[in-house]
């Protein structure tokens, strides 16, 4: 069975993702069933955007392993300047396009690609907020972090959100990423990093 890239609705099998705040507050967007689609709970999402309260508006956002688009669309609702959603599964990528159309969001794009392969090329754009929530236990999180750093995708003071299985060791996180916030909830750990220029 094909493993898709990332997360599901805020309420699990209820079939929709809910935008918590911002210009589309309360909006529910349908989510198709897909193998490997894992929910980011409303509680975790709310904590993340509390952390980012001063930093989401006018940011340029990259949502790696976008899945349902829950995190990226939340950032766009909270007045991010631009959003790139990267999703490997064609059906989920099509659904993300439909979401952007339904929201009349012209400041966003969907890239239907394997995120790690896509990040291995020299950056076409730099991002100051990156959301990384890959399928658990597939060895995707740390290679994604390294590719972002090595290929020049990040601004000097970019913020990086990383949601992983709680047991994942972070030994190869780029040395110039400072851990700002960290929480564990059940089987997952979620963290916010600040990138310092390595120059």
């Amino acid at each position: 069975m094909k493993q898709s890239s990332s997360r599901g609705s805020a309420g699990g099998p209820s079939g929709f993702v809910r935008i918590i705040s911002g210009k589309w507050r309360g909006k529910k967007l349908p989510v198709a069933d897909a193998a490997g689609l894992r929910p980011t709970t409303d509680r975790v999402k709310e904590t993340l955007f509390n952390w980012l309260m001063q930093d989401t508006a006018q940011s340029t956002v990259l949502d790696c392993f976008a899945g349902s688009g829950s995190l990226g669309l939340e950032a766009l609702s909270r007045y991010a300047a631009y959003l790139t959603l990267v999703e490997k599964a064609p059906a989920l990528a099509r659904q993300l396009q439909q979401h952007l159309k339904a929201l009349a969001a012209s400041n966003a794009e969907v890239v239907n690609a394997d995120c790690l392969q896509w990040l291995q090329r020299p950056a076409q754009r730099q991002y100051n907020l990156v959301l990384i929530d890959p399928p658990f236990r597939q060895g995707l999180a740390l290679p994604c972090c390294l590719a972002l750093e090595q290929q020049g995708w990040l601004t000097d003071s970019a913020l990086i959100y990383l949601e992983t299985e709680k047991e994942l060791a972070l030994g190869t996180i780029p040395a110039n990423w400072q851990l700002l916030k960290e929480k564990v909830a059940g089987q997952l750990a979620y963290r916010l990093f600040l990138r310092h220029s390595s120059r």
Side-chain angles (χ1 to χ4, degrees), residues 57-137:
Q58 300 310 308
S59 59
T60 303
V61 182
L62 174 61
D63 189 350
C64 303
F65 314 100
S68 68
S70 173
L71 295 182
L73 293 173
E74 185 73 36
L76 205 59
S77 180
R78 297 176 188 232
Y79 304 99
Y82 194 81
L83 169 65
T84 301
L85 297 144
V86 183
E87 172 51 51
K88 182 170 73 171
L92 291 174
R94 283 193 300 272
Q95 185 170 65
L96 291 169
Q97 291 279 18
Q98 291 165 5
H99 290 344
L100 294 179
K101 188 174 180 181
L103 296 167
S106 59
N107 56 335
E109 63 177 335
V110 177
V111 177
N112 182 199
D114 179 287
C115 190
L116 292 186
Q117 291 180 11
W118 187 76
L119 290 173
Q120 288 302 330
R121 62 202 181 103
Q124 306 300 304
R125 181 190 294 270
Q126 285 195 313
Y127 297 89
N128 50 13
L129 176 57
V130 179
L131 307 165
I132 307 169
D133 181 11
F136 281 1
R137 302 179 180 91

Side-chain angles (χ1 to χ4, degrees), residues 127-180:
Y127 297 89
N128 50 13
L129 176 57
V130 179
L131 307 165
I132 307 169
D133 181 11
F136 281 1
R137 302 179 180 91
Q138 293 189 26
L140 299 172
L142 296 177
C144 179
C145 294
L146 292 174
L148 287 165
E149 182 65 35
Q150 291 168 354
Q151 300 298 331
W153 293 96
L154 304 172
T155 62
D156 283 352
S157 54
L159 290 165
I160 305 101
Y161 172 74
L162 181 62
E163 184 174 320
T164 67
E165 62 273 23
K166 68 178 181 182
E167 70 272 14
L168 181 69
L170 298 180
T172 56
I173 284 283
N176 57 315
W177 291 18
Q178 175 191 354
L179 181 61
L180 297 181

